[in-house]
Amino acid sequence: GAVVSQHPSWVICKSGTSVKIECRSLDFQATTMFWYRQFPKQSLMLMATSNEGSKATYEQGVEKDKFLINHASLTLSTLTVTSAHPEDSSFYICSARGRSRGTEAFFGQGTRLTVV
Amino acid sequence: QKEVEQDPGPLSVPEGAIVSLNCTYSNSAFQYFMWYRQYSRKGPELLMYTYSSGNKEDGRFTAQVDKSSKYISLFIRDSQPSDSATYLCALSTGTASKLTFGTGTRLQVTL
């Protein structure tokens, strides 16, 4: 399958600081990137969808000014959690879909964010 | 009613057993059906991908889709301890549409 690399795997930050998470598609062009959040023992919650050349579309209840998404190129998307608070601590996962890959979505390894 | 229903488990089976994992859904517009496996603290890994109704087999895994019943299944034959993970079904209405996930079923295969 296709490879999606997410970095970092984990990060601990102080409350009030911002954290950037990168998601790269290594062997295909990602026309669409998805960002999810997952709480322990729960399923994936879609936060936002980012299509090539467009601004991200956020799901209801997700603050776009807090979770900044940049789809900088066809192989890179970033999620920045601004002014992080302990309640933002979670597992964040990106996924990418490309024209050459049909409707299959490939996931990154996830980033465990802990805000202290 | 959730769009996709999946029993969270946990489901515990002995090594070598046949495992049946299922999801039901309510939106008849779903056309694409996927199964992902997720190990603890890792991102989901695509196992099976099916378009419309029918069966698809890949090694020990078989995916079934019954659109008339709005019911999808994943069968794992000769289950191994390494199959212990959470299995998520994911459905989509189109190639440009988002995936809607089930809650995931936690599977434990014991020796």
Side-chain angles (χ1 to χ4, degrees), chain B residues 34-94:
Chain B
M34 283 143 276
W35 284 96
Y36 287 86
R37 176 175 63 195
Q38 186 178 24
Y39 292 109
S40 182
R41 301 192 178 193
K42 300 287 184 184
E45 169 195 10
L46 180 65
L47 280 178
M48 300 288 284
Y49 163 67
T50 311
Y51 170 67
S52 197
S53 284
N55 292 2
K56 188 173 184 179
E57 187 173 322
D58 184 1
R60 296 186 296 112
F61 299 92
T62 300
Q64 284 186 353
V65 175
D66 181 349
K67 290 185 67 180
S68 61
S69 303
K70 298 190 181 70
Y71 189 88
I72 65 173
S73 301
L74 176 70
F75 297 96
I76 307 174
R77 288 185 298 282
D78 187 25
S79 55
Q80 304 294 311
S82 58
D83 294 328
S84 299
T86 295
Y87 290 80
L88 299 131
C89 62
L91 292 73
S92 181
T93 58

Side-chain angles (χ1 to χ4, degrees), chain A residues 34 36 38 41-44 46 49 59 91 93 97 102-110 112, chain B residues 32 34 36 38 41-44 46 49 88 92 94-99 101-104 106:
Chain A
F34 303 90
Y36 295 86
Q38 188 176 33
K41 298 185 180 180
Q42 292 189 26
S43 190
L44 298 153
L46 181 64
T49 303
E59 295 297 300
F91 193 55
I93 311 175
R97 178 188 280 168
T103 193
E104 297 176 52
F106 298 91
F107 284 81
Q109 308 95 309
R112 169 73 57 190
Chain B
Y32 299 87
M34 283 143 276
Y36 287 86
Q38 186 178 24
R41 301 192 178 193
K42 300 287 184 184
L46 180 65
Y49 163 67
L88 299 131
S92 181
T95 57
S97 304
K98 68 180 183 182
L99 294 178
F101 284 88
T103 51
R106 202 150 53 91

Side-chain angles (χ1 to χ4, degrees), chain A residues 29-115:
Chain A
Q29 292 187 324
T31 50
T32 306
M33 293 269 202
F34 303 90
W35 285 95
Y36 295 86
R37 186 172 178 175
Q38 188 176 33
F39 291 103
K41 298 185 180 180
Q42 292 189 26
S43 190
L44 298 153
M45 287 175 44
L46 181 64
M47 298 174 67
T49 303
S50 175
N51 288 304
E52 173 197 0
S54 305
K55 285 186 178 179
T57 302
Y58 290 79
E59 295 297 300
Q60 193 172 12
V62 178
E63 297 176 61
K64 62 180 180 180
D65 294 329
K66 181 168 186 62
F67 299 100
L68 302 177
I69 290 171
N70 187 317
H71 197 153
S73 70
L74 285 174
T75 58
L76 173 65
S77 176
T78 60
L79 166 68
T80 302
V81 182
T82 62
S83 187
H85 291 285
E87 57 265 29
D88 298 324
S89 299
S90 189
F91 193 55
Y92 293 87
I93 311 175
C94 70
S95 125
R97 178 188 280 168
R99 273 191 223 100
S100 62
R101 297 283 178 171
T103 193
E104 297 176 52
F106 298 91
F107 284 81
Q109 308 95 309
T111 298
R112 169 73 57 190
L113 170 64
T114 303
V115 184

